[in-house]
Amino acid sequence: MNDKGISIVLAIWNQLCYTKLAVDSILKNSDSPFELVVVDNGSKPEVKAYFDSLKESVAITYIRNEKNLGPILAINQGIKAAKYDYVMAMHNDVIIMEPGWLRKIESVMDADPSIGVIGLAGRKEIYGTGCVNEESLKHDLQNEDLNPAMDEEVAEVAVVDGLCFVMRRSLLDKIDGLDETFGYMHCYDLDLSLQSKNAGSKNAVVKVSAIHIGNGGMTRKLRDYKDLVKDDYGLLNKNCKILAKK
């Protein structure tokens, strides 16, 4: 593996307009080495055409699944294909608003090898039921419906949020990626955070200005999502129970 840089894994299922906004914000605000690892979960042809058009300007690894395997399996595919020791998973509706954001994240992780996972948002408290204390959220997201943004540059948290987080390769080697027991989605970010702590690492949030367009999930709002996940609340409840037993 190459050690200097960040691999950015994007699990994509259509929604090209949001994807373009996210990728444009990455390209505009990144001034340190990175690659895009795109895992296409059976999108329409225009998604591949868009990423093909970028190959002259940015390093891209493109993986296509013929059907939607869900974000957990897709992120694991991206992790295996990533070339850098720092591997980021980012939702395709996150807009970065801060120049030099990747350099900031990399500097924090370089300075503190005990950090296993670092994200743009996370909670300081998680209950035994698998639920989190929303009032303990740390972030610098520009969404208006959240608690006040953090003042400190870095904050230790119990769990990171799945909207955007970076994993250390050494941790991934210990835990073998995201736990696919959770199925299509839900709770994988909480589980990753707890596995990080169990492995002797800590989790943190770095102050990076961004906005999460979906803030709760654009994919779940798609009409086709109900064909993939018949009972989203049931899946969430099931995964919370799995998490609580760990």
Side-chain angles (χ1 to χ4, degrees):
M1 297 292 172
N2 296 324
D3 58 354
K4 294 304 293 182
I6 295 181
S7 298
I8 304 175
V9 178
L10 295 171
I12 307 294
W13 183 40
N14 296 314
Q15 300 181 314
L16 183 56
C17 59
Y18 298 122
T19 299
K20 285 183 176 180
L21 290 172
V23 172
D24 286 351
S25 75
I26 293 171
L27 299 179
K28 177 182 177 181
N29 292 295
S30 302
D31 58 0
S32 54
F34 73 95
E35 65 166 346
L36 295 179
V37 182
V38 179
V39 185
D40 183 343
N41 266 330
S43 299
K44 296 175 182 177
E46 53 261 36
V47 172
K48 182 178 186 300
Y50 168 66
F51 285 105
D52 283 344
S53 73
L54 296 178
K55 287 185 175 180
E56 295 297 320
S57 57
V58 62
I60 296 179
T61 298
Y62 184 88
I63 301 167
R64 178 173 170 82
N65 298 317
E66 291 307 314
K67 63 179 181 178
N68 193 337
L69 302 180
I72 297 176
L73 271 68
I75 292 170
N76 276 343
Q77 287 178 291
I79 289 171
K80 291 175 182 176
K83 70 179 183 180
Y84 289 120
D85 284 347
Y86 294 155
V87 184
M88 174 185 292
M90 176 173 161
H91 287 188
N92 70 320
D93 61 344
V94 173
I95 310 302
I96 303 301
M97 303 172 67
E98 182 171 326
W101 70 298
L102 288 180
R103 181 167 26 86
K104 177 186 281 191
I105 293 171
E106 195 169 12
S107 295
V108 171
M109 295 192 78
D110 286 347
D112 189 348
S114 67
I115 296 176
V117 184
I118 194 167
L120 301 195
R123 281 85 177 174
K124 293 186 70 67
E125 188 174 10
I126 182 170
Y127 304 121
T129 58
C131 296
V132 294
N133 179 356
E134 292 295 346
E135 294 302 314
S136 70
L137 179 67
K138 289 289 184 178
H139 69 95
D140 192 25
L141 300 174
Q142 304 306 302
N143 299 62
E144 294 182 354
D145 55 343
L146 300 176
N147 64 335
M150 60 195 289
D151 293 319
E152 61 271 55
E153 289 297 318
V154 182
E156 186 172 352
V157 294
V159 292
V160 297
D161 190 285
L163 69 96
C164 183
F165 57 92
V166 180
M167 303 158 281
R168 197 179 292 273
R169 174 69 64 179
S170 57
L171 172 66
L172 289 170
D173 290 342
K174 287 181 182 179
I175 66 175
D176 197 26
L178 303 184
D179 189 346
E180 297 179 1
T181 304
F182 292 98
Y184 188 89
M185 64 188 298
H186 293 313
C187 297
Y188 65 91
D189 48 356
L190 306 181
D191 179 67
L192 170 69
S193 302
L194 296 179
Q195 288 198 65
S196 171
K197 292 179 75 68
N198 289 339
S201 299
K202 65 184 181 184
N203 308 311
V205 169
V206 61
K207 186 177 183 180
V208 170
S209 181
I211 187 166
H212 187 199
I213 297 175
N215 194 28
M218 292 303 299
T219 298
R220 280 181 284 167
K221 297 175 184 177
L222 291 176
R223 191 174 302 169
D224 293 341
Y225 178 71
K226 292 183 179 179
D227 294 330
L228 291 168
V229 180
K230 303 298 183 183
D231 182 6
D232 182 70
Y233 179 77
L235 176 62
L236 174 61
N237 188 49
K238 173 187 173 184
N239 285 354
C240 284
K241 290 179 179 177
I242 294 173
L243 187 66
K245 290 179 180 179
K246 284 196 167 191

